[in-house]
């Protein structure tokens, strides 16, 4: 069976996911496209999915009888309504991060999915599928001994003027928030944010860089530097310090050069290249589960836990240096 997918939001990642469904992965095809800007949907149709129907409204795409499963790749604030509509239609739905821009919104999705009775939602936390993080998790489980600290960095070369201080949490840190819960098999209990002096390249409405300190229920302390105007490249770093040893996330494969009396290692500049393989694996997982009418991988519960933690981190930005408590409610059995 070929899974017939409708894609809502055909900007950068909606286009890229359409490309991988049409040209890289087996078992699915894009039969419908929709974007707030219809020209964007038509451009993706022309370039990648000529047989797809373009719908003006995402809601109509979700209801369309030819659509078996939905990809929500629109702007974060629009995710909740589309995911709720997909659950109401009983259709599996892959939702790019964040699941919702508030914890209350994510909770509404969890409640709707629990009422439906089976999983329908996968959240686009692709790092769980990255070969480097998978190897790091294996090292933490078998070789480092119990984790004590994590030192991490999420650096982007630059961000647009519309990227404001809270987006460093909702848009950027949210990947670390999810992947460290998964990596450590732990939940957060508090967050604190510290700001050094502002980098010269950061625009007027953005405090950048910043350091977020998260504490987990098992007592692990995690420091993450977020620096979205680092200029030199797209750089994701992670080091886990355990009782017996230290494990580091591998660098992306690259040709090392000895040239002109220097030893050189190239650094990527675009997030699309850094996690290209993991996007393929996460969507393949979605296609396999959606073909069976369900969802696997990062769940609505994970999206909700990330949203609660994000809200606490944004509160911690506002109350610079103060520790903000994080409490997760009881997890419904659907997510055990
Ligand atoms: P983008 O701005 O390039 O694209 C967003 C698209 O959504 C635009 O074409 C816009 O017209 C459309 N849109 C806005 N409102 C809409 C609505 N109500 N209905 C339908 N379409 C609407 O942004 P992007 O970089 O592609 O990001 C999209 C989502 O993907 C965001 O939630 C972002 O956080 C997430 N994302 C995830 C990753 C990742 O690494 N997993 C990377 C990039 C983006
Ligand atoms: C972007 O939306 C992503 O999800 C990237 O993975 C992240 O590194 C970047 O900071 C975000 O803006």
């Amino acid at each position: 069976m070929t899974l017939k997918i409708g894609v809502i939001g055909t900007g950068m990642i909606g286009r890229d996911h359409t490309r991988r469904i049409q040209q890289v992965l087996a078992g699915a095809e894009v039969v419908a496209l929709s974007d707030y800007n219809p020209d964007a949907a038509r451009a993706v149709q022309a370039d990648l999915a000529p047989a797809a129907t373009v719908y003006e409204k995402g809601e109509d795409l979700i209801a369309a009888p030819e659509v078996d499963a939905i990809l929500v790749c629109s702007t974060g604030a629009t995710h909740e309504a589309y995911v709720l509509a997909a659950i109401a239609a009983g259709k599996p739905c892959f939702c790019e991060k964040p699941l919702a821009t508030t914890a209350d919104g994510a909770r509404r999705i969890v409640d709707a999915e629990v009422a439906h009775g089976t999983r329908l939602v996968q959240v686009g936390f692709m790092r769980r599928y990255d070969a480097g993080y998978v190897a790091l998790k294996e090292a933490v489980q078998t070789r480092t001994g119990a984790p004590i600290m994590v030192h991490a960095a999420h650096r982007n070369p630059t961000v647009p003027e519309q990227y404001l201080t809270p987006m460093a949490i909702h848009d950027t840190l949210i990947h670390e928030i999810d992947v460290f819960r998964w990596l450590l098999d732990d939940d957060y209990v508090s967050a604190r944010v510290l700001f050094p002096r502002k980098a010269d390249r950061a625009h007027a409405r953005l405090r950048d860089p910043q350091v977020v300190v998260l504490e987990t229920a098992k007592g692990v302390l995690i420091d993450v530097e977020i620096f979205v105007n680092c200029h030199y490249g797209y750089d994701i770093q992670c080091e886990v310090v355990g009782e017996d040893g230290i494990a580091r996330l591998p660098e992306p494969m690259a040709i090392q050069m000895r040239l002109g009396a220097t030893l050189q290692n190239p650094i990527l500049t675009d997030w699309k290249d850094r996690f290209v393989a993991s996007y393929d694996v996460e969507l393949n997982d979605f296609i396999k589960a959606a073909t069976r009418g369900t969802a696997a991988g990062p769940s609505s519960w994970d999206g909700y836990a990330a949203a609660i933690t994000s809200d606490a981190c944004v509160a911690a930005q506002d109350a610079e240096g103060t520790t903000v408590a994080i409490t997760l409610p009881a997890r419904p059995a659907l997510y055990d």
Side-chain angles (χ1 to χ4, degrees):
M1 173 198 164
T2 300
L3 185 77
K4 299 194 176 75
I5 294 184
V7 179
I8 301 176
T10 54
M12 271 191 295
I13 203 140
R15 168 180 279 273
D16 208 34
H17 285 338
T18 302
R19 174 193 61 77
R20 49 178 54 87
I21 292 165
Q22 296 295 89
Q23 299 178 354
V24 181
L25 303 174
E29 65 175 308
V30 172
V31 298
L33 295 158
S34 181
D35 195 285
Y36 179 73
N37 167 11
D39 287 344
R42 279 189 216 104
V44 171
Q45 178 199 38
D47 294 347
L48 295 164
T53 306
V54 171
Y55 287 88
E56 262 192 33
K57 290 187 167 177
E59 291 79 2
D60 294 340
L61 175 149
I62 292 168
E66 79 274 16
V67 171
D68 302 323
I70 324 293
L71 250 58
V72 177
C73 302
S74 46
T75 319
T78 69
H79 292 181
E80 180 192 343
Y82 289 135
V83 176
L84 287 172
I87 295 171
K91 296 186 182 182
C93 175
F94 172 92
C95 179
E96 262 308 335
K97 42 66 57 169
L99 178 61
T101 42
T102 63
D104 287 347
R107 179 79 223 195
R108 283 188 283 274
I109 292 173
V110 164
D111 290 344
E113 199 180 34
V114 168
H116 175 77
T118 56
R119 276 198 56 191
L120 285 176
V121 180
Q122 177 178 338
V123 182
F125 288 133
M126 77 296 176
R127 287 194 191 179
R128 293 181 182 210
Y129 295 93
D130 174 69
Y133 276 106
V134 170
L136 185 61
K137 185 172 166 99
E138 210 255 329
V140 169
Q141 285 172 334
T142 60
R143 283 147 73 203
T144 59
I148 304 168
M149 291 178 286
V150 177
H151 307 299
H154 188 149
R155 304 193 186 109
N156 289 48
T158 183
V159 287
E161 291 273 324
Q162 312 87 277
Y163 184 108
L164 309 179
T165 305
M167 289 177 70
I169 308 294
H170 287 299
D171 201 54
T172 297
L173 181 77
I174 194 146
H175 285 297
E176 275 77 15
I177 289 175
D178 178 69
V179 86
F180 295 151
R181 270 185 77 237
W182 167 84
L183 181 71
L184 303 171
D185 190 21
D186 207 346
D187 272 315
Y188 303 115
V189 294
S190 75
R192 200 156 24 116
V193 177
L194 301 167
F195 292 96
R197 79 164 177 79
K198 186 169 158 167
D200 291 345
R201 287 190 179 87
H203 63 72
R205 294 185 299 156
L206 173 63
R207 291 186 78 180
D208 182 55
Q210 55 194 280
V211 177
V212 179
V213 180
L214 291 161
E215 194 188 350
T216 74
K218 294 178 189 164
V220 178
L221 212 57
I222 303 168
D223 59 273
V224 190
E225 170 203 314
I226 311 163
F227 189 8
V228 293
N229 287 281
C230 80
H231 190 63
Y232 71 84
Y234 180 72
D235 195 8
I236 303 300
Q237 296 290 324
C238 177
E239 181 180 273
V240 181
V241 180
E243 293 282 353
D244 303 325
I246 293 175
R248 277 193 80 86
L249 183 69
E251 296 287 341
M253 193 186 76
I255 297 295
Q256 193 180 65
M257 297 286 295
R258 285 172 161 76
L259 197 67
T262 60
L263 183 60
Q264 301 171 0
N265 289 295
I267 295 177
L268 294 170
T269 55
D270 190 335
W271 52 261
K272 283 196 226 65
D273 301 326
R274 174 65 179 83
F275 290 108
V276 65
S278 48
Y279 294 118
D280 290 350
V281 187
E282 72 168 352
L283 275 192
N284 196 42
D285 212 22
F286 176 70
I287 291 167
K288 277 194 302 183
T291 303
R292 292 182 273 110
T294 185
S299 67
S300 296
W301 182 257
D302 297 317
Y304 178 44
I308 290 176
T309 308
S310 294
D311 285 358
C313 291
V314 172
Q317 284 181 327
D318 294 340
E320 184 179 347
T322 308
T323 300
V324 175
I326 301 172
T327 313
L328 284 189
R331 187 173 58 188
L334 180 64
Y335 304 105
D336 285 347

